[in-house]
Amino acid sequence: MKICKEFIIVLFIIILTQGCVKEIEELIPAELQVKAGTIDVFFGSVFTDFNQTYNTALKILVQDDDKIIILGYTGYMGNEHLNHIIRLLPDGTYDSSFGTNGKLTFQLGTGSSEVSDMALQSDGKIVVVGTDFSENTYNIAIARFSTDGNFDQSFGTNGIEITDLGQQETGTSVMVQDDGKIVVAGYISYGGDNNMDAFVYRYNQDGSTDWSFSAGHIVVDINNNSYDLPKGIVMHNNKILFCSVVHANSYRDYDGVALIQLNMDGSFDTNFGVNGISLFDGLTISDGLSFVSPITDIAITPDNKIVASCYINGIAGNDFAVFRFNANGIPDNSFGNYGLVVTDMPGSNIVYSIAVQSDGKILAGGSALANSNYNSCLIRYMTNGDLDTDFAEPTGIGIFDISKTPDSPDWITTICIQNNGRILAAGTADNENGDPDIVITRFNAGPLNIY
């Protein structure tokens, strides 16, 4: 039996007006019912190829008008990168009012550059942060784009601002405050086996340095000459909160995840953690065996708790790890094992991104080893840290082969939740020619999706 989606909409409206919403599933044919943790067939996967080479997504966001923004880049390790922004209409088609037919390619600065993160302003302008590699130095690079995809000439110099702190700086994360000021987190490398420190830099709306913020920036040595790699920054209790992995020596043995909360003037929030730092450390399980990965993400729950993620490097491979902290930075003992949940799956598995639903359930996206190949993985957790077995039934763990080429790997690198609750994931998957494309896939979040 073939029934169009318009029929489902009408049916839902009728039932809603009759006060029988809970019975809608019984009236929809079984073949049209959808389940949480399945690919949304009305959207599917959108593949975007640049230059028939390696492409990957780094960040996906949804605008207030439901248009979808994806940040990514082209280029293999060691080769020059090209940076990209894609904008899609809510149905997954390219937005022709943005860039060139919905796509934009750019560099940050005059030389080679690499983007890392993206944020949206309340006026729809797009802020991107990354690193400029001009003249054999690494400097913070930040750019702002107008809603049509052109560089915003009111920001920095021709839409770009390059910041040199005198060492080798890499910008990894960006957010926009309610007052329009822009906050960037990243790390400073001092060369050789010297430690790497986290930094936070704040810009005014026009791209100039905000000198009211700790003389423009603050440098943080998180754990006594540690090697610090921050990734993920959010507003929390009207303060600046960022996440970092921490390791103790030049062998890069990561053994901790840290949250750092700053007041709006750049000083440490002494009511958070211990003097502004909450360190979940001591996670190395043997000498030379790293326990915590150098990739983190962070999100805030509806009840103001903090969720962070990374992947665990254990003896048998990598596993997803999700942490939850109370609002004061103390690990939340009501979540998993003293605030930590490790999801053990066969082989090596990597989590890149997390998001929190309006009901407090946590989504984690990455890759999982399946049938001797890496495939996209999406997991949903209950508010206590248990796997949500109503998602990707019956395990709570969804593994998806998204590539169009047989036996080709694919993975999720960034996820977000649409205004209607559906789940968007972006990453990398091979097209029919075997070229790794930026791919955007939409997933069902619940048993009913009304279009």
Side-chain angles (χ1 to χ4, degrees):
M1 178 173 60
K2 183 178 180 181
I3 300 179
C4 66
K5 63 181 180 180
E6 287 80 6
F7 170 81
I8 299 176
I9 295 173
V10 173
L11 180 61
F12 178 77
I13 293 172
I14 293 172
I15 295 174
L16 181 64
T17 59
Q18 298 299 315
C20 303
V21 176
K22 66 179 181 179
E23 299 175 4
I24 188 171
E25 283 188 82
E26 299 176 4
L27 299 180
I28 297 177
E31 66 268 21
L32 292 181
Q33 293 184 22
V34 297
K35 295 184 179 295
T38 58
I39 292 177
D40 177 1
V41 296
F42 292 119
F43 187 98
S45 295
V46 178
F47 285 72
T48 302
D49 182 53
F50 294 94
N51 300 331
Q52 296 180 319
T53 184
Y54 177 82
N55 303 277
T56 192
L58 296 170
K59 189 76 170 185
I60 187 168
L61 297 171
V62 177
Q63 298 181 170
D64 290 339
D65 60 2
D66 287 328
K67 291 182 179 180
I68 303 163
I69 299 279
I70 305 98
L71 176 72
Y73 69 79
T74 292
Y76 287 97
M77 185 71 69
N79 296 331
E80 182 175 353
H81 286 185
L82 295 174
N83 306 306
H84 307 290
I85 299 176
I86 304 165
R87 191 163 74 190
L88 304 176
L89 298 174
D91 64 358
T93 56
Y94 294 106
D95 180 5
S96 60
S97 69
F98 182 84
T100 302
N101 297 320
K103 293 175 276 189
L104 175 67
T105 298
F106 62 95
Q107 288 288 2
L108 299 173
T110 58
S112 180
S113 62
E114 182 175 322
V115 293
S116 298
D117 197 15
M118 174 178 64
L120 287 171
Q121 294 189 169
S122 59
D123 59 3
K125 292 182 179 180
I126 303 165
V127 180
V128 170
V129 71
T131 305
D132 171 54
F133 303 126
S134 301
E135 300 178 359
N136 297 318
T137 61
Y138 288 19
N139 293 320
I140 308 163
I142 184 169
R144 191 167 68 195
F145 298 88
S146 299
T147 55
D148 60 2
N150 289 313
F151 280 107
D152 179 5
Q153 300 301 311
S154 68
F155 183 85
T157 302
N158 298 321
I160 301 172
E161 183 67 25
I162 306 296
T163 304
D164 183 1
L165 299 181
Q167 300 291 333
Q168 304 286 342
E169 305 93 26
T170 299
T172 63
S173 307
V174 64
M175 73 169 182
V176 180
Q177 297 180 175
D178 291 341
D179 61 4
K181 292 183 178 181
I182 300 166
V183 186
V184 171
Y187 60 90
I188 298 177
S189 176
Y190 301 101
D193 286 337
N194 295 309
N195 65 307
M196 295 183 295
D197 290 335
F199 74 80
V200 177
Y201 201 104
R202 193 163 73 188
Y203 298 86
N204 293 311
Q205 294 183 36
D206 62 358
S208 61
T209 299
D210 179 10
W211 298 109
S212 70
F213 181 80
S214 188
H217 72 282
I218 181 173
V219 176
V220 183
D221 178 12
I222 297 175
N223 193 27
N224 298 322
N225 294 318
S226 56
Y227 288 73
D228 310 320
L229 287 175
K231 180 65 174 167
I233 187 168
V234 294
M235 290 297 297
H236 179 244
N237 288 340
N238 295 316
K239 297 179 182 182
I240 298 166
L241 176 69
F242 69 97
C243 186
S244 179
V245 292
V246 179
H247 65 111
N249 58 57
S250 60
Y251 295 102
R252 309 296 194 266
D253 291 335
Y254 297 85
D255 70 345
V257 170
L259 303 179
I260 300 91
Q261 187 154 288
L262 305 175
N263 296 311
M264 296 303 284
D265 63 358
S267 61
F268 287 99
D269 176 11
T270 56
N271 294 317
F272 183 86
V274 178
N275 296 322
I277 299 176
S278 178
L279 182 61
F280 202 120
D281 67 346
L283 300 178
T284 300
I285 57 178
S286 67
D287 291 340
L289 183 60
S290 176
F291 192 61
V292 175
S293 75
I295 297 174
T296 50
D297 198 11
I298 189 171
I300 305 300
T301 67
D303 58 356
N304 208 32
K305 293 182 179 182
I306 305 157
V307 178
S309 67
C310 68
Y311 63 90
I312 297 296
N313 298 324
I315 295 174
N318 304 327
D319 291 313
F320 282 38
V322 178
F323 303 78
R324 195 170 71 192
F325 299 80
N326 293 311
N328 61 1
I330 304 302
D332 180 6
N333 290 334
S334 69
F335 183 81
N337 186 15
Y338 300 103
L340 170 64
V341 171
V342 176
T343 303
D344 184 16
M345 295 180 284
S348 291
N349 312 283
I350 299 175
V351 57
Y352 290 103
S353 183
I354 54 170
V356 180
Q357 297 183 169
S358 59
D359 59 3
K361 292 181 179 181
I362 300 165
L363 293 159
S367 66
L369 187 64
N371 299 321
S372 301
N373 199 16
Y374 285 99
N375 288 140
S376 299
C377 181
L378 190 62
I379 299 176
R380 192 163 73 183
Y381 300 90
M382 304 291 287
T383 55
N384 65 354
D386 290 346
L387 291 169
D388 180 3
T389 55
D390 289 332
F391 185 86
E393 292 180 344
T395 62
I397 301 172
I399 299 177
F400 309 89
D401 186 0
I402 294 176
S403 287
K404 295 182 178 180
T405 304
D407 301 321
S408 294
D410 52 78
W411 52 86
I412 293 170
T413 51
T414 174
I415 59 176
C416 71
I417 300 172
Q418 286 188 288
N419 300 322
N420 58 14
R422 282 170 279 187
I423 304 159
L424 287 169
T428 299
D430 282 7
N431 61 26
E432 57 273 11
N433 297 319
D435 300 320
D437 283 358
I438 292 174
V439 62
I440 303 95
T441 305
R442 191 164 70 187
F443 296 88
N444 297 308
L448 293 175
N449 282 273
I450 301 303
Y451 297 84

